[in-house]
Amino acid sequence: MRWTEAERLAELRDLGILDSRPDPAYDDLARIAALVCATPVALVSFVDETRQWFKAEIGFGCTETPLDQSICAYALLQEEVLIIPDLTADPRTAANPLVTGEPRIRFYAGAVIRSAAGIPLGSLCVIDRLARPDGLTGAQAATLTALARQLSSLLEYRRNLDHIAIREAEIEASERRFRVMTSAMPQMVWTTLPDGYHDYYNDRWYAFTGVPHGSTDGEGWNGMFHPDDQARAWARWRHSLATGEPYEVEYRLRHHTGVYRWTLGRAMPIRDAEGRIERWFGTCTDIEDLKRAEAEARKLAAVVETSKDFIGITDETEQTVHLNEAALRLVGLPDLAAARETVIADYFTPASQRIVNEVVLPTVRRDGWWEGELAFRHFATGEPIAVLYNIFPVRDATGAPAGYATVTRDLRESKRAEEARDLLIRELSHRIKNIFAVVGGIAALTARSDPAARSFAEAFRERLGALAQAHEYVRPHSPASAPAVKGQTVLGLMRLIMAAYAQDGRERVVVEGDDTPIGERTATSLALIMHEQATNAVKYGGLSSETGRVLLVGRSDGAHYDLTWAEAGGPRITQAPSRRGFGTVLAERSVAGQLDGTLEHDWAPEGLVMRLRVPVANLRF
């Protein structure tokens, strides 16, 4: 065999023999060589790049020599045993320091030690300090060659053992890594033989199921499933074993608590280089929470789809992502595909579009929501649709903005109902005004027929007129029927309402203090509250006696406005009322809900004191 020095050195390195620990097997072979050849020295020598190293030495006294002192290096080039009867007479060795100096060797015979591939690595040699003109006998040479072959076999055997040990260590490490990995996995992990026999489960399987270790090996796993799922899971597993297709099935697995939890079972075949299945690697994943979440999501989706409100979602660019059926019907879109071609602004009339762009969306980005009345447009007819529009941002799982959502209510029915209610209110108000007019007419007729009653009738008509004006404030209003309050103030409104309670030109309700402008909505609420308070005072409180009176004082600190109603001169109060009338409840709700204020009652023995506190900013609405 032809070889290169690089190949020879690579093979020597791969054997791992250089500088290895002493081995009796090599020592024994060297000893046999020395005995058979009747020499005082025998060496198992390996020729390295710069030295020759002795795995075994008998009678030489050292473990290596420099390469320039090596005689074995010449043996590597021989096919048969290299025999040099007299080293001093051979030009290759005559100048060798081991020949010219100590130990003054004279005879050398070496048989080549080769690798399994035939590459020479070293030699089994015998050395004598005396020249041997006859060299070795035929039997000695044959024995030396046979011993060298045994050394070659021993090298391969040791190499194979080393490779096996390395492989076993790798397999053991791989097993450890596999067990560590499967123990760290959140899923239950299992493996089977090619025929499907289960032979491994990780600790998570036993922790989940609570069964003893090894009790589910083989086919015992199927008994862990819900009875209704066993046949389906087993049939799917048999199909995968027969076809080699991946295994995937959902089933209910018995938990250690005794309940069954939904689980996703999966397995993949592991194949060798020829494609044969060596093992199956499988996992079981607890999906009970996911199943519940999906069920809740289906319920929520059903609510969304069956809701009569317009429900929609857009992405960050305001492009429509989803509309429910009610939304599609409300705006006249044929299907969801058409809706996905639209953006938020497309749903509004031009006037509402401006509000959306200039007010609504900036407010949502700043405050996180917006709600108010706007007008959608019907995509087919262009008809405006009055809606209560509510919009808020949608975020993804990380909290990053993902778009917008709306739950919008069609106000057309409520608008029609409001119009009908307003018509009824106006009709009732008209009839009440007619009653005031009739009563006033009766008073005037009485004055004309009875001059003595004239002064009473005039005072009565003035009070009746004041009550009619107060009625305009306290009755329910729509935006169209609300009384004009431009330039009105809180104390101005109070004087207007309380004018009905003057007696003989004397104000029984004295209004004083700090004044402040008042808006339409607040004027109606305050008028209702104070009219109710005055009515109760006439029935039970300070205005129920001739000498009784009320002091109504306004005070402002810049942030809040306080209006104090203090009664005096009426019946003495012994205790607070045990129940609140409808008017009182209505007043309290009006203060809290419409004015964002507070209303307190102090039932002092001398007379009721009521304190109304409202943010100044809210008075202007």
Side-chain angles (χ1 to χ4, degrees), residues 187-190 237 246-251 263-268 280-285:
Q187 292 97 344
M188 295 163 268
V189 177
W190 47 270
W237 179 230
Y247 169 74
E248 182 170 327
V249 65
E250 291 182 4
Y251 47 76
T263 305
L264 173 62
R266 285 176 170 166
M268 294 288 292
W280 286 84
F281 179 88
T283 61
C284 300
T285 306

Side-chain angles (χ1 to χ4, degrees), residues 61-111:
C62 66
T63 58
E64 65 178 55
T65 63
L67 188 61
D68 61 2
Q69 297 181 13
S70 174
I71 302 173
C72 293
Y74 299 115
L76 301 183
L77 305 177
Q78 305 294 314
E79 291 295 328
E80 302 296 335
V81 177
L82 172 64
I83 299 175
I84 303 178
D86 186 353
L87 294 172
T88 60
D90 192 300
R92 294 172 294 181
T93 59
N96 190 306
L98 298 178
V99 176
T100 60
E102 293 298 330
R104 299 186 182 279
I105 60 177
R106 293 291 181 268
F107 171 75
Y108 175 91

Side-chain angles (χ1 to χ4, degrees), residues 15 106 249 282 342 354 381 477 547:
L15 283 166
R106 293 291 181 268
V249 65
T342 64
R354 287 193 296 274
T381 65
H477 288 286
T547 58

Side-chain angles (χ1 to χ4, degrees), residues 190-194 237 240-241 244-245 267-269 277 279-282:
W190 47 270
T191 64
T192 80
L193 300 178
W237 179 230
S240 293
L241 291 176
E245 295 178 3
M268 294 288 292
I277 295 177
R279 297 188 69 78
W280 286 84
F281 179 88

